[in-house]
């Protein structure tokens, strides 16, 4: 068909390019030609555009329809209870407010409850309603923190949709790549995917096999190790953190000679996390020559003689020779040696003392902060709760630091090596002594929902801050954490805090109203979380 040939009425309009130009500039600045005479110019322009659109479409040759996609894989999980399905729709429909930095009011933040809802639904083994999948994928697209839980809940149908919509292709790039990964029981398929797969698929495969059979994953990695790019070797090597064991030592020892400095450093770090490795023994010997007990004084103390050079053997074992700006070379080398030495070294080296006794010893010549900071890093790397307790000290210790932990960041890492109950008790004691202003980072490592003593310590500290007339907005972060982490059973105990309290003379204007509003929102959110859980429990077998 000739799309440019005139048809009856075709002369009433111009070419498509002319019509677009007139529409962009406006008919006042670009009046239509004679074909619009006697008619309102905007109406004539739209009529002409409609005629030209029809002519353009009529000139398109019909094409063969695309092949129909294969049906989505079935989802064997059970369907959500109706109330829980409705709740999911409500949570997905909520969007963050677009206002300024004003007050949030008493309504719960539904988008912040979505991660918890997904965790509960996944734990109970439910499948989503098919009609909720587009909104669920859109939510995961906008929030990367939601993606693992959202895609686990969405299941195979979401991957089927992701292949049809470019906006959702992120789902195919996550571990698994939208396909079932072969396991160690199928070495042929695993080797084929390892040799031919995309990088994300290979990472997912290695991670999956490592979780099932650490040795098989290490052997798979060894088959192509010499031909991998440096950045890929680093990523693959990092997967060995999971299930790290003595059997990994020969492979990691070979990686100490890698041509990439980052690969060598990672291999050394992994070996130092194995207290029985040869590298750990070498580091213990080096560090032991630098630290000793001086018994010539009235009170025994630790003396430090930092390394005077970083030789080739130290560098091969992962010691970085060049110190960062502002750090002395000798203290930089010392910290790396102590960090990599097995913590059991120090009881033997320092007179059979316990970790608590060691960190209580004075350290001569201002080496204490460097030495204790290195011990903190070693306790975290080696996951040693005994040393972590010693370095944390009592939660009632001065805020400047316990015996060894001199910063909240170090304390948070040390706490992560303890069991969840002990961790919660320590943070509760810290809050009872120091309040909440320094506790936000510590709360982030505590298991959810918070244990009873920790939850009560947080609420009591918030109440004390309110009664003292503290600036209320500075506690908004802790309030947000409490909404997500406090046990919903605490809602009844909080009712008494929802009233507007009398404001002290030195309180910020409007503080009483803010505090009441925040506690009302906290109570409402906790009750909603309880309802969400009961809705999901509605279909559980009794």
């Amino acid at each position: 068909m000739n799309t440019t040939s005139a048809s009856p009425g075709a002369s009433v309009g111009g070419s498509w390019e002319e019509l677009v130009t007139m529409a962009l500039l406006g008919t006042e600045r670009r009046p239509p030609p004679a074909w619009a005479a006697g008619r309102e110019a905007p109406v004539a322009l739209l009529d002409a555009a409609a005629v030209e659109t029809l002519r353009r479409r009529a000139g398109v040759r019909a094409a063969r329809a695309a092949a129909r996609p294969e049906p989505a894989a079935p989802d064997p999980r059970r369907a959500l209870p109706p109330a829980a399905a409705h709740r999911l729709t409500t949570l997905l429909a909520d969007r963050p407010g677009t206002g300024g930095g004003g007050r949030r009011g008493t309504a719960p933040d539904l988008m912040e409850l979505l991660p918890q809802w997904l965790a509960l639904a996944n734990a109970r083994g439910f499948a989503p309603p098919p009609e909720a999948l587009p909104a669920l994928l859109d939510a995961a697209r906008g929030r990367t923190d939601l993606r693992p839980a959202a895609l686990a809940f969405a299941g195979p149908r979401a991957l089927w949709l992701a292949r049809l919509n470019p906006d959702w292709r992120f789902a195919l790039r996550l571990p698994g790549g939208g396909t079932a990964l072969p396991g160690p029981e199928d070495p042929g398929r695993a080797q084929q995917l390892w040799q031919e797969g995309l990088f994300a698929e290979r990472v997912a495969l290695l991670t999956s096999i490592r979780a099932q059979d650490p040795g098989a994953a290490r052997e798979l990695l060894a088959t192509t190790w010499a031909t991998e790019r440096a950045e890929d070797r680093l990523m693959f090597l990092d997967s060995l953190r999971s299930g790290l064991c003595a059997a990994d030592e020969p492979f990691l020892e070979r990686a100490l000679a890698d041509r990439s400095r980052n690969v060598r450093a990672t291999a050394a770090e992994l070996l130092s996390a194995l207290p029985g490795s040869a590298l750990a023994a070498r580091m213990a010997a080096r560090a032991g020559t630098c630290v000793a007990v001086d018994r010539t004084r009235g009170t025994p103390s630790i003396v430090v003689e930092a390394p005077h050079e970083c030789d080739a053997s130290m560098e091969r074992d992962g010691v970085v020779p060049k110190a960062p700006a502002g750090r002395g070379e000798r203290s930089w080398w010392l910290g790396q040696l102590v960090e990599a030495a097995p913590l059991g070294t120090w009881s033997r080296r320092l007179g059979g003392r316990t970790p608590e006794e060691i960190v209580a010893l004075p350290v001569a010549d201002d080496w204490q902060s460097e030495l204790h900071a290195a011990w903190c890093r070693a306790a975290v790397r080696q996951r040693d709760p005994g040393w972590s307790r010693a370095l944390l000290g009592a939660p009632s210790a001065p805020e400047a630091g316990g015996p060894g932990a001199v910063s909240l960041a170090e304390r948070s890492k040390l706490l992560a090596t303890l069991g969840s109950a002990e961790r919660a008790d320590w943070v509760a004691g810290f809050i009872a002594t120091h309040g909440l202003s320094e506790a936000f980072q510590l709360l982030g490592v505590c298991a959810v929902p918070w244990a009873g003593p920790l939850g009560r310590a947080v609420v009591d500290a918030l109440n004390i801050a309110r009664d003292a007339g503290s600036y209320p907005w500075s506690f908004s972060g802790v309030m947000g954490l409490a909404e997500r982490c406090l046990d919903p059973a605490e809602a009844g105990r909080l009712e008494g805090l929802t009233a507007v309290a009398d404001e002290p003379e030195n309180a910020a204007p409007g503080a009483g109203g803010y505090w009441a509003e925040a506690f009302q929102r906290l109570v409402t959110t906790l009750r909603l979380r309880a309802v969400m859980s009961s809705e999901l429990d509605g279909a559980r077998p009794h």
Side-chain angles (χ1 to χ4, degrees):
M1 179 182 294
N2 185 352
T3 60
T4 60
S5 63
S7 61
S11 60
V12 299
S15 70
W16 182 254
E17 290 74 17
E18 291 179 83
L19 296 173
V20 170
T21 302
M22 275 184 270
L24 291 174
L25 296 177
T27 53
E28 291 185 357
R29 297 179 59 193
R30 183 71 172 266
W35 48 260
R39 306 167 63 197
E40 293 186 13
V43 175
L45 174 61
L46 292 175
D47 287 345
V51 171
E52 184 63 21
T53 299
L54 183 60
R55 292 175 61 204
R56 289 160 64 89
R57 289 178 177 172
V60 176
R61 187 183 300 277
R64 185 177 296 277
R68 180 176 298 180
E70 291 293 325
D75 193 332
R77 298 173 295 175
R78 53 202 175 116
L80 281 171
H86 178 72
R87 179 70 60 193
L88 173 62
T89 301
T90 304
L91 294 175
L92 291 171
D94 189 67
R95 291 291 180 268
T98 56
R103 286 152 71 154
R104 286 176 48 198
T106 60
D109 186 342
L110 299 185
M111 280 301 289
E112 288 304 315
L113 291 179
L114 182 57
Q116 290 195 19
W117 189 96
L118 289 170
L120 292 171
N122 283 331
R124 287 158 172 78
F126 287 117
E131 62 272 17
L133 289 174
L136 186 61
L137 286 166
D138 281 339
R141 180 192 179 202
R143 285 181 56 177
T144 55
D145 63 306
L146 278 180
R147 290 181 181 178
L151 293 176
F153 176 62
R157 288 171 175 165
L159 299 174
W160 184 85
L161 288 172
R163 295 187 186 97
L164 302 176
N165 186 342
D167 289 344
W168 300 331
R169 289 293 174 87
F170 66 87
L172 304 177
R173 295 192 292 269
L174 292 183
T179 60
L181 293 170
E185 73 285 350
D186 191 355
R189 280 189 60 218
Q191 187 64 239
Q192 181 179 6
L193 182 58
W194 180 249
Q195 295 286 348
E196 301 174 4
L198 300 174
F199 176 71
E201 293 173 327
R202 300 177 74 212
V203 171
L205 175 67
L206 190 64
T207 302
S208 175
I209 294 180
R210 182 71 176 178
Q212 301 171 65
D213 187 340
R218 184 182 61 252
E219 291 168 9
L220 183 66
L221 176 58
T223 61
T224 60
W225 178 258
T227 60
E228 303 287 357
R229 299 184 307 166
E231 55 267 34
D232 293 350
R233 293 198 305 278
L234 183 62
M235 182 71 75
F236 294 144
L237 192 63
D238 203 58
S239 70
L240 299 187
R241 294 181 188 278
S242 173
L244 185 67
C245 61
D248 296 322
E249 182 179 359
F251 180 87
L252 294 172
E253 273 285 343
R254 291 193 297 272
L256 289 176
D258 196 271
R259 54 188 180 275
S260 165
R261 181 171 61 84
N262 290 332
V263 172
R264 294 195 302 270
T266 300
E269 179 189 345
L270 293 173
L271 284 166
S272 67
L274 295 171
S277 69
L279 179 137
R282 296 192 294 270
M283 288 299 198
R286 293 174 181 124
T289 64
C290 299
V291 181
V293 173
D294 183 357
R295 297 181 177 85
T296 62
R297 306 179 187 183
T299 301
S301 62
I302 293 177
V303 292
V304 173
E305 180 66 27
H308 290 273
E309 65 172 343
C310 178
D311 59 31
S313 65
M314 288 170 58
E315 192 170 347
R316 180 184 180 276
D317 282 346
V319 177
V320 179
K322 184 173 178 57
R327 287 287 302 275
E329 282 186 334
R330 295 182 65 200
S331 64
W332 171 243
W333 300 330
L334 173 74
Q336 294 179 79
L337 295 181
V338 173
E339 177 183 357
L343 287 163
T345 301
W346 303 111
S347 180
R348 297 189 296 270
R349 174 69 178 159
L350 304 178
R353 291 177 170 85
T354 66
E356 287 80 6
E357 292 169 336
I358 291 172
V359 299
L361 288 173
V363 182
D365 301 326
D366 297 324
W367 281 106
Q368 178 167 315
S369 61
E370 185 67 50
L371 184 60
H372 284 191
W375 278 334
C376 283
R377 297 192 298 274
V380 171
R381 180 182 295 187
Q382 298 171 36
R383 310 295 297 175
D384 190 311
W387 270 87
S388 292
R389 292 186 195 101
L391 292 161
L392 280 166
S396 57
E399 287 187 71
V406 295
S407 73
L408 290 172
E410 286 174 328
R411 285 177 166 180
S412 297
K413 293 175 182 177
L414 291 169
L415 283 168
T417 69
L418 307 179
S420 59
E422 184 178 1
R423 199 182 316 163
D425 287 342
W426 197 95
V427 177
F430 181 90
I431 292 171
T433 302
H434 305 296
L436 289 168
S437 59
E438 301 294 331
F440 189 84
Q441 195 168 2
L442 304 179
L443 287 169
V445 300
C446 293
V448 177
W450 289 335
L454 176 58
R456 288 189 287 275
V458 171
V459 173
D460 289 345
L462 286 170
N463 194 24
I464 291 170
R466 180 186 68 165
D467 291 343
S470 299
Y471 192 65
W473 295 274
S474 62
F475 292 91
S476 60
V478 176
M479 273 292 188
L481 267 182
E483 291 171 22
R484 299 188 294 274
C485 303
L486 199 61
D487 191 328
E490 297 289 322
R493 198 172 68 85
L494 295 170
E495 279 287 359
L497 303 178
T498 59
V500 179
D502 295 333
E503 296 181 5
E505 291 183 4
N506 60 342
Y514 172 90
W515 281 109
E517 189 177 86
F519 279 117
Q520 289 168 19
R521 184 175 60 250
L522 176 57
V523 170
T524 304
T525 302
L526 293 178
R527 287 185 170 149
L528 177 56
R529 285 174 52 205
V531 170
M532 283 171 21
S533 182
S534 66
E535 290 169 346
L536 286 162
D537 286 338
R540 296 183 72 185
H542 297 287

